[in-house]
Every structure is written in structure tokens, then in C-alpha cells.
Amino acid sequence: MQLVLQRFSYRFAEEVLNSMLSLKKQVDQILLEPVPDPKILSRPGFNELLNSRFTSAGWQAQPLVFGDPGDPGAKMDFLKERVGVEVGFGHASFLGIDLLKFQVGSYSALNKIDVGIYIVTTSHFQKVMKDQYGLNWEGSLTFEKVGRYLPHFKSAIQVPIYVLGIDVQGAG
């Protein structure tokens, strides 16, 4: 099985990332690195795999969004050189919370990121995982849903966000 990426650029996120081309390519490499056994691509298994890959590539794992340990404990998944990454493998209802992490990390006194990368799976990926490997992704956020909803948040979410949808090529 070969993983492929679908892409959606919100507020010129791709152009911003093109000015950080090595980081953009590194994220692609992390996400597209072959998976030895597709059965590990359950939600928790895939999260563990990505955590290992991102931290091995020098990304800070679980940085506090607010910076001060006394502030609310919201955390971004990964951070490196002003690029924040959030992995959205949870329930679709977390969409707004995930997007707000990017907004908060970008504006006001925090000023930690210039662009966010939101990693989700496609509905096709989720169907293949269920049909061929018995893995339950039901209720998870999809690339298609993010693409439909994100433009409606344009007055609230002003930070550029690059949405990457993990898909499967040649399956299902």
C-alpha cells in the first residue's frame, strides 16, 4: 500500500511554506515514508508512528499553545521553526478546537507560528482501512470536511493553514 497526499491551502499557506521548502519537504517525507504493516494505521497506532517520525526529525512534541505552564493546557502536536502541526485523527467535533490552536499560536503576544499544517485522513483512506484491515476510523475528521468548513471560518481563523489529507493509492 502506498500513501499519497491531497492538499488544500488556506490563506496562501502553501506559498508561505514554499519559503520554508526544506520543512515542507520534510513533512511530506514523514507522512509518505512507507509503512511496514498497514494494520498499524489504527488511529492510536498512526498517531504513535507520526509522533516517532516527527520527534526523530527534530520537531518539538506537545508544545504548550499558551507558553506559560500556569495558563490553560492546550497543546499543539508539533512545532519547528515557526511551523505548527496538528494531527486531526480524532472525532470530527474537534475541528474548531484544532483550528483555534493555530490561531492562538499565531497571533497576540504568543507569536509562535507563521503557518499551521493540519494533517487528517481522507474518507477514502478511512474506508480502505475499515474494509481491508478492519480498522475503525468511524467519526473521524476527514480532509473533505476540513475543506468544506475551513473557508467558513475566515473571519475567525486568519493564520495560513496547509491541510494535508492522507490517502491510499491503488486500494479500494
Side-chain angles (χ1 to χ4, degrees), residues 11 24 29 44 53 58 84 89 93 100 120 127 146 151 153 165-166:
R11 292 197 178 268
K24 182 181 176 192
Q29 182 181 6
R53 289 179 178 180
F89 290 169
S93 63
L100 282 174
V120 293
K127 180 176 180 358
V146 176
F153 296 133
I166 299 171

Side-chain angles (χ1 to χ4, degrees), residues 118-132:
Y118 197 30
I119 301 168
V120 293
T121 56
T122 66
S123 56
H124 177 254
F125 172 92
Q126 293 178 15
K127 180 176 180 358
V128 169
M129 291 298 107
K130 180 181 179 189
D131 293 350
Q132 293 186 13

Side-chain angles (χ1 to χ4, degrees), residues 146-167:
V146 176
R148 281 193 312 270
Y149 278 75
L150 190 52
H152 295 288
F153 296 133
K154 68 181 174 184
S155 63
I157 307 297
Q158 297 171 1
V159 60
I161 299 174
Y162 194 51
V163 184
L164 295 173
I166 299 171
D167 202 352

Side-chain angles (χ1 to χ4, degrees), residues 36-137:
D37 180 4
K39 292 180 183 173
I40 67 168
L41 298 181
S42 65
R43 285 191 274 191
F46 208 169
N47 267 314
E48 287 176 28
L49 178 68
L50 291 181
N51 186 55
S52 172
R53 289 179 178 180
F54 272 99
T55 56
S56 293
W59 290 74
Q60 179 185 356
Q62 301 293 308
L64 292 172
V65 171
F66 296 103
D68 179 355
D71 283 335
K75 297 175 184 173
M76 197 170 292
D77 288 327
F78 306 102
L79 179 66
K80 186 175 185 179
E81 298 176 26
R82 302 189 55 80
V83 175
V85 173
E86 190 67 24
V87 178
F89 290 169
H91 193 271
S93 63
F94 289 112
L95 173 62
I97 294 166
D98 289 345
L99 296 176
L100 282 174
K101 289 179 192 179
F102 291 131
Q103 182 66 25
V104 169
S106 173
Y107 283 91
S108 69
L110 299 176
N111 194 24
K112 291 182 178 182
I113 67 169
D114 295 321
V115 62
I117 299 176
Y118 197 30
I119 301 168
V120 293
T121 56
T122 66
S123 56
H124 177 254
F125 172 92
Q126 293 178 15
K127 180 176 180 358
V128 169
M129 291 298 107
K130 180 181 179 189
D131 293 350
Q132 293 186 13
Y133 303 101
L135 300 175
N136 182 9
W137 281 79

